[in-house]
Amino acid sequence: MARPRSFDPDDVLEIARQVFWQKGFQAASLDEITAASGIAKPSLYAAFGDKHALFLRVLDRYHDGILGWAERTLAQPGPAREAIRQWLTGFIPYCSGEKGQRGCLSINSATDGSLDQAALRKSIERYNRRLEELLCTRLRADRAQFKKGFDPDITAHTVMVVHAGLMALAHQTPDSKQVKAVIDQVMSLLA
Amino acid sequence: MARPRSFDPDDVLEIARQVFWQKGFQAASLDEITAASGIAKPSLYAAFGDKHALFLRVLDRYHDGILGWAERTLAQPGPAREAIRQWLTGFIPYCSGEKGQRGCLSINSATDGSLDQAALRKSIERYNRRLEELLCTRLRADRAQFKKGFDPDITAHTVMVVHAGLMALAHQTPDSKQVKAVIDQVMSLLA
DNA sequence: TCCATTATGTACTTTTAAGTACAGAACTTA
DNA sequence: TAAGTTCTGTACTTAAAAGTACATAATGGA
């Protein structure tokens, strides 16, 4: 029994994500987001709260997207190594060439010193924990495939480090072949 | 034949580095730097130019420091693997525990979307190129120690990726033992 | 049809931080 | 010691961006 919203919040989050991803949290202004989305500021504030809260929503959405895809990819049948290789390979477009310029929104946010807000840190930590958990679970499940002495926990963390490194170096837009070669080399650890 | 400077530019760069490292480029204000250094803004501007130019000076100094240390460490006698392991191990204080919070100034800057300035990009690229070159040179020199089929170029890049990943995940202040375990596992690739 | 309620858009306030004008201080050299 | 030059500090201007007040529009229900 009131005037209905004239926009889909999801659409706005999508646009806000693009702006934040392109510019970073600090450099992205709400004016840019209102301009890009056509939504006036008071509506934004009413729907999402202040800039930090909006960013948190955007980041959580981003995390959910990647986690969903990781869950699907890592649940694949076949050797764990191939599932993980495929997961990492899926990032190649985002850490080389044109799309690579932006890197990973989560890592960009984590390395942004201005974002030491508790809520942000928690979101990123939860995301990383969950991702590592997925890797770990898969490696443990397929433990029999590996050599004696293989440590799934450490290996999962190593894969996390490699993933973070690829995304951090994405801003230099490396050659995708080079990225692929690194993935191949690291995958030789899963034996 | 004029009034001399009342401060050592190097001291100011050191203080500016701390502020930029702590807060990030955007969030660090010149007022904080003037407060921390005791130097008034007009003196800062006269000595270093605007905020971007000051940051560039700070970053170049930072790069030089790390490169100098890398040159010394990687020139060590003995197996290449041990030299590189020692090099990576040296970063442990900076990617775990208390100091780790800040991560790496260069990587933080690279992932900061607001810094797509040409000069910044070039500085970071040159730094990464030089670092990879040092690794590469060392691995090539010790080629005989490795198995047939060992590729020093790809391996150097893999080490770069691992280094970047460790520094990117530094903000989560992981346990130093975990970091060490990852380094050990990756070093097994140098065989 | 009128009312209560919630969204919208314009235009504002406020804050913060970058950058600078200018007067005066400190030094060198003639 | 005076002139010329460059540095320093106070206080300012300016710009940008976060957040909001308020009048108005759109809806569901009585």
Coordinates of all heavy atoms in Angstrom, one line a residue, chain D residues 12-30:
Chain D
dC12 P 42.1 33.0 6.7 OP1 41.6 34.3 6.9 OP2 41.7 31.8 7.5 O5' 41.7 32.6 5.1 C5' 42.3 33.5 4.1 C4' 42.5 32.7 2.8 O4' 43.3 31.5 3.1 C3' 41.3 32.1 2.2 O3' 40.7 33.1 1.3 C2' 41.8 30.9 1.5 C1' 43.1 30.6 2.0 N1 43.4 29.3 2.5 C2 43.9 28.3 1.6 O2 44.1 28.6 0.4 N3 44.2 27.0 2.1 C4 43.9 26.7 3.3 N4 44.2 25.5 3.7 C5 43.4 27.7 4.3 C6 43.2 28.9 3.8
dT13 P 39.3 32.8 0.7 OP1 38.8 34.2 0.2 OP2 38.4 32.0 1.6 O5' 39.6 32.0 -0.6 C5' 40.6 32.4 -1.5 C4' 40.8 31.3 -2.5 O4' 41.3 30.1 -1.9 C3' 39.5 30.9 -3.2 O3' 39.7 30.8 -4.6 C2' 39.2 29.5 -2.6 C1' 40.6 29.0 -2.3 N1 40.6 28.0 -1.2 C2 41.1 26.7 -1.4 O2 41.5 26.4 -2.5 N3 41.2 25.9 -0.3 C4 40.7 26.2 1.0 O4 40.8 25.4 1.9 C5 40.2 27.6 1.1 C7 39.7 28.0 2.5 C6 40.2 28.4 0.1
dT14 P 38.5 30.7 -5.6 OP1 38.8 31.4 -6.8 OP2 37.3 31.0 -4.8 O5' 38.5 29.2 -5.9 C5' 39.7 28.5 -6.1 C4' 39.5 27.0 -6.2 O4' 39.5 26.4 -4.9 C3' 38.1 26.6 -6.8 O3' 38.4 25.8 -7.9 C2' 37.4 26.0 -5.7 C1' 38.5 25.4 -4.8 N1 38.2 25.3 -3.4 C2 38.6 24.2 -2.7 O2 39.2 23.3 -3.3 N3 38.4 24.1 -1.4 C4 37.7 25.1 -0.6 O4 37.5 25.0 0.6 C5 37.3 26.3 -1.4 C7 36.6 27.4 -0.7 C6 37.6 26.3 -2.7
dA15 P 37.2 25.3 -8.9 OP1 37.7 25.5 -10.3 OP2 35.9 25.9 -8.5 O5' 37.2 23.8 -8.6 C5' 38.4 23.1 -8.2 C4' 38.0 21.7 -7.8 O4' 37.8 21.7 -6.3 C3' 36.8 21.1 -8.4 O3' 37.0 19.8 -8.7 C2' 35.7 21.3 -7.3 C1' 36.6 21.1 -6.0 N9 36.1 21.8 -4.9 C8 35.5 23.1 -4.8 N7 35.1 23.5 -3.6 C5 35.6 22.4 -2.8 C6 35.5 22.2 -1.4 N6 35.0 23.1 -0.6 N1 36.0 21.1 -0.9 C2 36.5 20.2 -1.8 N3 36.6 20.3 -3.1 C4 36.1 21.4 -3.5
dA16 P 36.0 18.9 -9.6 OP1 36.7 18.5 -10.8 OP2 34.7 19.7 -9.7 O5' 35.7 17.7 -8.7 C5' 36.8 17.2 -7.8 C4' 36.1 16.4 -6.7 O4' 35.7 17.3 -5.7 C3' 34.9 15.7 -7.2 O3' 34.9 14.4 -6.6 C2' 33.8 16.5 -6.6 C1' 34.4 17.0 -5.3 N9 33.8 18.2 -4.7 C8 33.3 19.3 -5.3 N7 32.8 20.2 -4.5 C5 33.1 19.7 -3.3 C6 32.8 20.1 -2.0 N6 32.2 21.3 -1.7 N1 33.1 19.4 -0.9 C2 33.7 18.2 -1.2 N3 34.0 17.6 -2.3 C4 33.7 18.4 -3.4
dA17 P 34.1 13.2 -7.3 OP1 34.9 12.5 -8.3 OP2 32.7 13.7 -7.6 O5' 33.9 12.2 -6.1 C5' 34.5 12.4 -4.8 C4' 33.5 12.5 -3.8 O4' 33.1 13.9 -3.6 C3' 32.1 11.8 -4.0 O3' 31.8 11.0 -2.9 C2' 31.1 12.9 -4.2 C1' 31.7 13.9 -3.2 N9 31.2 15.2 -3.3 C8 31.0 15.9 -4.5 N7 30.5 17.1 -4.3 C5 30.4 17.2 -2.9 C6 30.0 18.2 -2.0 N6 29.5 19.4 -2.5 N1 30.0 18.0 -0.7 C2 30.5 16.8 -0.3 N3 30.9 15.8 -1.0 C4 30.9 16.1 -2.3
dA18 P 30.9 9.7 -2.9 OP1 31.7 8.5 -3.2 OP2 29.7 10.0 -3.8 O5' 30.4 9.6 -1.5 C5' 31.3 9.8 -0.4 C4' 30.6 10.4 0.8 O4' 30.2 11.8 0.6 C3' 29.3 9.7 1.1 O3' 29.2 9.5 2.5 C2' 28.2 10.6 0.7 C1' 28.9 12.0 0.8 N9 28.4 13.0 -0.2 C8 28.5 12.9 -1.5 N7 28.0 14.0 -2.1 C5 27.6 14.8 -1.1 C6 27.1 16.1 -1.1 N6 26.8 16.8 -2.2 N1 26.9 16.7 0.1 C2 27.2 16.0 1.2 N3 27.7 14.8 1.3 C4 27.9 14.2 0.1
dG19 P 28.2 8.4 3.1 OP1 28.7 7.9 4.4 OP2 27.8 7.4 2.0 O5' 26.9 9.3 3.4 C5' 27.1 10.3 4.4 C4' 26.0 11.3 4.2 O4' 26.0 12.0 2.9 C3' 24.5 10.8 4.3 O3' 23.9 11.4 5.5 C2' 23.9 11.2 3.0 C1' 24.7 12.4 2.7 N9 24.6 12.8 1.3 C8 25.0 12.1 0.1 N7 24.8 12.7 -1.0 C5 24.3 14.0 -0.6 C6 23.9 15.1 -1.3 O6 23.9 15.2 -2.6 N1 23.4 16.1 -0.6 C2 23.4 16.1 0.8 N2 22.9 17.2 1.4 N3 23.7 15.1 1.6 C4 24.2 14.0 0.8
dT20 P 22.4 11.0 5.9 OP1 22.4 11.0 7.3 OP2 22.0 9.8 5.1 O5' 21.6 12.3 5.4 C5' 22.1 13.6 5.7 C4' 21.1 14.6 5.3 O4' 21.2 14.9 3.9 C3' 19.6 14.2 5.6 O3' 18.9 15.4 6.0 C2' 19.1 13.8 4.2 C1' 19.9 14.8 3.3 N1 20.1 14.4 1.9 C2 19.8 15.3 0.9 O2 19.3 16.4 1.2 N3 20.0 14.8 -0.3 C4 20.5 13.6 -0.7 O4 20.7 13.3 -1.9 C5 20.8 12.7 0.4 C7 21.4 11.3 0.1 C6 20.6 13.1 1.6
dA21 P 17.6 15.3 6.9 OP1 18.0 15.3 8.3 OP2 16.8 14.2 6.3 O5' 16.9 16.7 6.5 C5' 17.6 17.7 5.8 C4' 16.7 18.8 5.2 O4' 16.7 18.6 3.8 C3' 15.2 18.6 5.6 O3' 14.6 19.9 5.5 C2' 14.7 17.6 4.6 C1' 15.5 18.0 3.4 N9 15.8 16.9 2.5 C8 16.1 15.7 2.8 N7 16.4 14.9 1.8 C5 16.2 15.7 0.7 C6 16.4 15.5 -0.7 N6 16.7 14.3 -1.2 N1 16.1 16.5 -1.5 C2 15.8 17.7 -1.0 N3 15.6 18.0 0.3 C4 15.9 17.0 1.1
dC22 P 13.1 20.1 6.0 OP1 13.1 21.4 6.6 OP2 12.6 18.9 6.7 O5' 12.4 20.2 4.6 C5' 13.0 20.8 3.5 C4' 12.2 20.6 2.2 O4' 12.7 19.5 1.5 C3' 10.7 20.3 2.5 O3' 9.9 20.9 1.5 C2' 10.6 18.8 2.4 C1' 11.6 18.6 1.2 N1 12.1 17.2 1.0 C2 12.5 16.8 -0.3 O2 12.3 17.6 -1.2 N3 12.9 15.5 -0.4 C4 13.0 14.7 0.6 N4 13.5 13.5 0.4 C5 12.6 15.1 1.9 C6 12.2 16.4 2.1
dA23 P 8.4 21.5 1.8 OP1 8.6 22.8 2.3 OP2 7.7 20.5 2.6 O5' 7.8 21.6 0.4 C5' 8.6 22.1 -0.7 C4' 8.3 21.2 -1.9 O4' 9.0 19.9 -1.8 C3' 6.9 20.8 -2.2 O3' 6.6 21.0 -3.6 C2' 6.7 19.4 -1.8 C1' 8.1 18.9 -2.1 N9 8.5 17.7 -1.4 C8 8.4 17.4 -0.1 N7 8.8 16.2 0.3 C5 9.2 15.7 -0.9 C6 9.8 14.4 -1.2 N6 10.0 13.4 -0.3 N1 10.1 14.1 -2.5 C2 9.8 15.1 -3.4 N3 9.3 16.3 -3.2 C4 9.0 16.5 -1.9
dT24 P 5.1 20.8 -4.2 OP1 4.9 21.9 -5.1 OP2 4.2 20.6 -3.0 O5' 5.2 19.4 -4.9 C5' 6.2 19.2 -5.9 C4' 6.2 17.8 -6.3 O4' 6.7 16.9 -5.3 C3' 4.9 17.2 -6.7 O3' 5.0 16.5 -7.9 C2' 4.5 16.3 -5.6 C1' 5.9 15.8 -5.2 N1 6.0 15.1 -3.9 C2 6.6 13.8 -3.9 O2 7.0 13.2 -4.9 N3 6.7 13.3 -2.6 C4 6.3 13.9 -1.5 O4 6.4 13.3 -0.4 C5 5.7 15.2 -1.6 C7 5.2 15.9 -0.3 C6 5.6 15.7 -2.8
dA25 P 3.7 16.2 -8.8 OP1 3.8 16.9 -10.1 OP2 2.5 16.4 -8.0 O5' 3.9 14.7 -9.1 C5' 5.1 14.2 -9.6 C4' 5.2 12.7 -9.4 O4' 5.4 12.5 -7.9 C3' 4.0 11.9 -9.8 O3' 4.4 10.7 -10.5 C2' 3.3 11.6 -8.5 C1' 4.4 11.5 -7.5 N9 4.1 11.7 -6.1 C8 3.6 12.9 -5.6 N7 3.4 12.8 -4.3 C5 3.9 11.6 -4.0 C6 4.0 11.0 -2.7 N6 3.6 11.5 -1.5 N1 4.5 9.7 -2.7 C2 4.9 9.2 -3.9 N3 4.9 9.7 -5.1 C4 4.3 10.9 -5.1
dA26 P 3.4 10.0 -11.4 OP1 4.2 9.7 -12.7 OP2 2.2 10.8 -11.5 O5' 3.1 8.6 -10.7 C5' 4.2 7.7 -10.5 C4' 3.8 6.7 -9.4 O4' 3.6 7.5 -8.2 C3' 2.5 5.9 -9.6 O3' 2.9 4.6 -9.5 C2' 1.6 6.4 -8.5 C1' 2.5 6.9 -7.5 N9 2.0 7.9 -6.5 C8 1.5 9.1 -6.8 N7 1.1 9.8 -5.8 C5 1.4 9.0 -4.7 C6 1.2 9.1 -3.3 N6 0.7 10.2 -2.7 N1 1.6 8.1 -2.5 C2 2.1 7.0 -3.1 N3 2.3 6.7 -4.4 C4 2.0 7.8 -5.2
dT27 P 2.1 3.5 -10.4 OP1 3.1 2.5 -10.9 OP2 1.2 4.2 -11.4 O5' 1.1 2.8 -9.3 C5' 1.7 1.8 -8.5 C4' 1.2 1.9 -7.1 O4' 1.0 3.2 -6.7 C3' -0.2 1.2 -6.9 O3' 0.0 -0.2 -6.7 C2' -0.7 1.9 -5.6 C1' 0.3 3.1 -5.4 N1 -0.3 4.4 -5.0 C2 -0.5 4.6 -3.7 O2 -0.2 3.9 -2.8 N3 -1.0 5.8 -3.4 C4 -1.4 6.8 -4.3 O4 -1.9 7.9 -3.9 C5 -1.2 6.5 -5.7 C7 -1.6 7.5 -6.7 C6 -0.7 5.3 -6.0
dG28 P -1.3 -1.1 -6.7 OP1 -0.8 -2.5 -7.0 OP2 -2.3 -0.5 -7.5 O5' -1.7 -1.0 -5.2 C5' -0.8 -1.5 -4.2 C4' -1.5 -1.5 -2.8 O4' -1.8 -0.1 -2.5 C3' -2.8 -2.2 -2.7 O3' -2.9 -2.9 -1.5 C2' -3.9 -1.1 -2.9 C1' -3.2 0.1 -2.3 N9 -3.5 1.4 -3.0 C8 -3.6 1.6 -4.3 N7 -3.9 2.8 -4.6 C5 -4.0 3.5 -3.4 C6 -4.4 4.8 -3.1 O6 -4.6 5.7 -3.9 N1 -4.5 5.0 -1.7 C2 -4.2 4.0 -0.8 N2 -4.4 4.4 0.5 N3 -3.9 2.8 -1.0 C4 -3.8 2.6 -2.4
dG29 P -4.2 -3.8 -1.2 OP1 -3.7 -4.9 -0.3 OP2 -4.9 -4.1 -2.4 O5' -5.1 -2.8 -0.3 C5' -4.7 -2.4 1.0 C4' -5.5 -1.3 1.6 O4' -5.6 -0.2 0.6 C3' -7.0 -1.7 1.9 O3' -7.4 -1.2 3.1 C2' -7.8 -1.0 0.7 C1' -6.9 0.2 0.6 N9 -7.1 0.9 -0.7 C8 -7.0 0.4 -2.0 N7 -7.1 1.3 -2.9 C5 -7.4 2.4 -2.2 C6 -7.8 3.7 -2.7 O6 -7.8 4.1 -3.9 N1 -8.0 4.6 -1.7 C2 -7.9 4.3 -0.4 N2 -8.2 5.3 0.5 N3 -7.6 3.1 0.1 C4 -7.4 2.2 -0.9
dA30 P -8.6 -1.8 3.9 OP1 -8.0 -2.3 5.2 OP2 -9.3 -2.8 3.0 O5' -9.5 -0.6 4.2 C5' -9.1 0.5 5.0 C4' -10.0 1.7 4.9 O4' -9.9 2.2 3.5 C3' -11.5 1.3 5.1 O3' -12.1 2.3 5.9 C2' -12.1 1.4 3.7 C1' -11.2 2.4 3.0 N9 -11.1 2.1 1.5 C8 -10.8 0.9 0.9 N7 -10.8 1.0 -0.4 C5 -11.0 2.3 -0.7 C6 -11.1 3.0 -1.9 N6 -11.0 2.5 -3.1 N1 -11.4 4.3 -1.8 C2 -11.6 4.9 -0.6 N3 -11.5 4.3 0.6 C4 -11.2 3.0 0.5

